[in-house]
Amino acid sequence: MLLAAVLVLLLLGGAGPATAHAALKGTDPKDGTVLKAAPRHVTLTFTESVGLLDDSFRVYDPDGHRVRTGEPRHADGRSDTARVTLPGKAGEGTYTVAWRVVSADSHPVSGAFTFSVGTPSPTPAALPTGPVEHPLTGSLYDTARLLAYLAAALLVGAAAFAALCRPPDPAPLGRPLRAAWWALLGSTLVLLVLRAPYEAGTSPAGALDASALTRTLSSRPGIALLARLALLPVTAVFLVRLSRREPAGRTRPAALAAGGILAVALALTWATAEHASAGIQVPLAMTSSVLHLLATAVWLGGLAALLILLRRPAPVLPVTTVARFSRTAFTSVIVLAVTGVYQSWRGLGSWQALTGTSYGRILLLKLAAVVALLMAAGASRRWTARLVTASAGTGTETAVRERERVLEPVGGSPAAPQRPDTRPEDPGGRDTGPTQTHRRALRRSVLAEVVVAALVLTVTTVLTGTLPGRAEAEAARTPATTPGLPGATVVTVPFDTGTPGGSGTVQITLDPGRTGDNGVQAVVLGADGGLTTIPELRLSFTLPDRKIGPIDARVTDRGGYWATNDLTLPLPGTWTMKATIRVSELDQVSVTRPVRIAR
């Protein structure tokens, strides 16, 4: 039924363009155009609002040299534009504009295009292609996002289980709740620190730049992460109060309301910085996203809590608690079905996108995993009903009431309670006979649910980082951009001062590695391959054939790496780069390496 509903909405819901990742709508000058005179500005227009980086624009002249430009800004105050000022004098030929911005849903997007002044260049500069993001930074960031999802699901779900299902002794849930709290804190800090290099597409060393971190803290994703960090201490206080509840006692309505407000606030820190925050019907999408996240957490996190308690002796988890969770999980599934169908329609927009886009194919994988999860949940619900029936045989009034509530057929009357069972109980207080058998079967089916649920959350993490079908379709309708970004020259310089701790390597990047203005970044790695700090690094460049140099690069410590944007190399050829590395007050070493600088 859920799959049929998804297909019907996909067939009927194709109206209205929407995006989640920003797509480039147009450029001024247009891609491939030939102008009589050089433009004063380069302006980009996107399908949604975008955030700008310090290095959002890189303009290269016909010889492949980087052009000095102004600071990136929004054109006429419009947040869906990006503009940069060009120098007053520009020679004839073909210019390349490489750009990188951050879309409203916090994902960076990039591209490149060309325009010509006067006569186009006979052979435009060859620009090697490269990844749009640093592989290590991207992997670390995605891992932290997955860990944050898992931790939030366990934190909210286990707390909801303790408050709503009222196990007699919630103490066994204390350790998982503390682990989830610390995991969410750690993953959020990692996301906050890695946000700047993730947006810029640079290595994790960029996280050590204080100015980059300052920019992150003022951006919408950074504010959302800060809000999550601020909510975690309040959440810790709530968990402490929840753990002090009297055994088998009800959670007070005020405490339930406070917990609900905290859960909604935590969910908003995701919804305000991801797909729901951009595109069509943003208020409705935000509401749907929050409900979807909370229903997922209550169901899947509650499953983990149920599994933990099922592994304990029977008195820790009576049948009444299992029955309460069964009803809570069923309500969560209904919420997930409604919000999931809406979000699928909003992200896809057409039937073709279901199989013709990466987003659609990943969504199909998620739907398959959800179907498997629902099958496992159905098995758990059947075992729950059997457990209630078997427990009703003991004649306990509570068990009979639960049997009447859980097993009552639709439109019919509850089955009559059975007569009390006079069989002896296990000396340890554990159930014997059918009750224990059903409990073990329920534990196995819940374990299967937890395993499949972890797969669903993993696929969901990938899905939130994938360009939605609507955005991909709209991007395909925009003019094609020139593939590839200008490359850079990377030189690795090993060093050894002959003293303990005095060896390692310096990875030096020259961007673009051509004549004219170049940027330099240097990262120092220790003997174990990890980042390390040194008191001083000097770089100089000499062109022996032309008797030019040495030219001091004047690199400065940027808080974990060394950099400059003011190195000018006037002529092409094989330059000699001299790196002087000082590791202490007395120990330093100088190493030279040849560096090829192209025109």
Side-chain angles (χ1 to χ4, degrees), residues 104-105 220 224 263-295 335 339 342-343 346:
D105 64 347
R220 183 166 62 174
V264 170
L266 281 173
L268 278 171
T269 63
W270 273 274
T272 55
E274 293 190 348
H275 289 169
S277 62
I280 61 171
Q281 304 172 352
V282 171
L284 180 59
M286 294 273 288
T287 303
S288 175
S289 178
V290 168
L291 292 175
H292 195 82
L293 287 169
L294 292 180
V335 175
T339 57
Y342 169 73
Q343 292 180 175
R346 186 174 181 269

Side-chain angles (χ1 to χ4, degrees), residues 62-124:
D63 295 325
H65 305 150
R66 187 168 178 177
V67 178
R68 291 180 181 269
T69 60
E71 182 181 353
R73 299 181 182 276
H74 293 295
D76 302 324
R78 293 172 49 195
S79 61
D80 62 343
T81 63
R83 171 176 288 179
V84 68
T85 303
L86 300 180
K89 296 181 179 179
E92 292 190 349
T94 301
Y95 289 77
T96 301
V97 180
W99 55 268
R100 185 180 183 91
V101 296
V102 181
S103 58
D105 64 347
S106 78
H107 296 285
V109 290
S110 60
F113 68 96
T114 63
F115 68 89
S116 300
V117 176
T119 304
S121 301
T123 55

Side-chain angles (χ1 to χ4, degrees), residues 386-467:
R386 294 176 185 177
L387 182 61
V388 172
T389 302
S391 298
T394 63
T396 307
E397 182 181 355
T398 302
V400 172
R401 288 201 304 267
E402 288 300 329
R403 179 174 183 268
E404 292 175 354
R405 296 180 65 183
V406 175
L407 300 180
E408 180 178 356
V410 177
S413 59
Q418 300 179 6
R419 305 178 71 177
D421 191 348
T422 57
R423 291 175 300 178
E425 293 186 348
D426 182 84
R430 298 177 181 174
D431 297 330
T432 60
T435 301
Q436 184 66 9
T437 301
H438 297 332
R439 191 181 296 274
R440 285 196 297 266
L442 177 61
R443 184 167 60 240
R444 288 193 295 267
S445 64
V446 170
L447 177 61
E449 280 191 80
V450 171
V451 172
V452 180
L455 174 62
V456 171
L457 285 178
T458 302
V459 176
T460 300
T461 303
V462 177
L463 193 65
T464 58
T466 304
L467 181 67

Side-chain angles (χ1 to χ4, degrees), residues 95-389:
Y95 289 77
T96 301
V97 180
W99 55 268
R100 185 180 183 91
V101 296
V102 181
S103 58
D105 64 347
S106 78
H107 296 285
V109 290
S110 60
F113 68 96
T114 63
F115 68 89
S116 300
V117 176
T119 304
S121 301
T123 55
L127 303 177
T129 60
V132 296
E133 68 176 23
H134 194 280
L136 180 57
T137 302
S139 299
L140 291 175
Y141 195 85
D142 290 340
T143 301
R145 287 175 64 236
L146 174 59
L147 182 59
Y149 273 120
L150 293 172
L154 180 58
L155 184 66
V156 174
F161 184 93
L164 300 176
C165 302
R166 303 194 299 277
D169 182 14
L173 300 179
R175 181 175 296 179
L177 282 171
R178 288 192 295 271
W181 189 91
W182 283 108
L184 185 56
L185 175 65
S187 59
T188 302
L189 288 173
V190 171
L191 290 172
L192 188 63
V193 170
L194 289 180
R195 184 67 204 176
Y198 173 73
E199 290 180 347
T202 57
S203 71
L208 303 176
D209 187 352
S211 61
L213 180 60
T214 302
R215 290 193 303 271
T216 297
L217 297 180
S218 61
S219 65
R220 183 166 62 174
I223 293 173
L225 292 172
L226 284 176
R228 191 182 305 169
L229 290 175
L231 287 170
L232 284 176
V234 184
T235 304
V237 174
F238 172 78
L239 294 178
V240 171
R241 297 289 298 272
L242 184 65
S243 65
R244 293 176 179 175
R245 176 175 61 84
E246 292 294 330
R250 291 178 176 271
T251 304
R252 294 181 179 180
L256 286 176
I261 293 173
L262 276 175
V264 170
L266 281 173
L268 278 171
T269 63
W270 273 274
T272 55
E274 293 190 348
H275 289 169
S277 62
I280 61 171
Q281 304 172 352
V282 171
L284 180 59
M286 294 273 288
T287 303
S288 175
S289 178
V290 168
L291 292 175
H292 195 82
L293 287 169
L294 292 180
T296 301
V298 170
W299 182 19
L300 305 187
L303 278 175
L306 178 62
L307 180 62
I308 292 169
L309 295 182
L310 280 173
R311 297 177 64 87
R312 298 278 175 163
V316 174
L317 188 66
V319 175
T320 54
T321 300
V322 179
R324 291 186 192 109
F325 177 71
S326 182
R327 293 190 293 272
T328 302
F330 184 74
T331 303
S332 299
V333 170
I334 294 175
V335 175
L336 282 172
V338 175
T339 57
V341 167
Y342 169 73
Q343 292 180 175
S344 299
W345 165 79
R346 186 174 181 269
L348 285 169
S350 69
W351 172 264
Q352 292 78 10
L354 189 61
T355 56
T357 64
S358 298
Y359 184 90
R361 289 188 287 270
I362 297 175
L363 180 60
L364 285 176
L365 178 61
K366 179 181 177 179
L367 288 175
V370 169
V371 169
L373 185 59
L374 290 173
M375 294 174 63
S380 298
R381 191 168 175 82
R382 288 191 296 272
W383 283 115
T384 299
R386 294 176 185 177
L387 182 61
V388 172
T389 302

Side-chain angles (χ1 to χ4, degrees), residues 510-520 564-569 597:
L510 279 76
D511 182 14
R514 298 173 181 272
T515 55
D517 294 335
N518 283 265
V520 180
T564 182
N565 292 318
D566 300 322
L567 174 64
T568 301
L569 300 177
I597 300 299

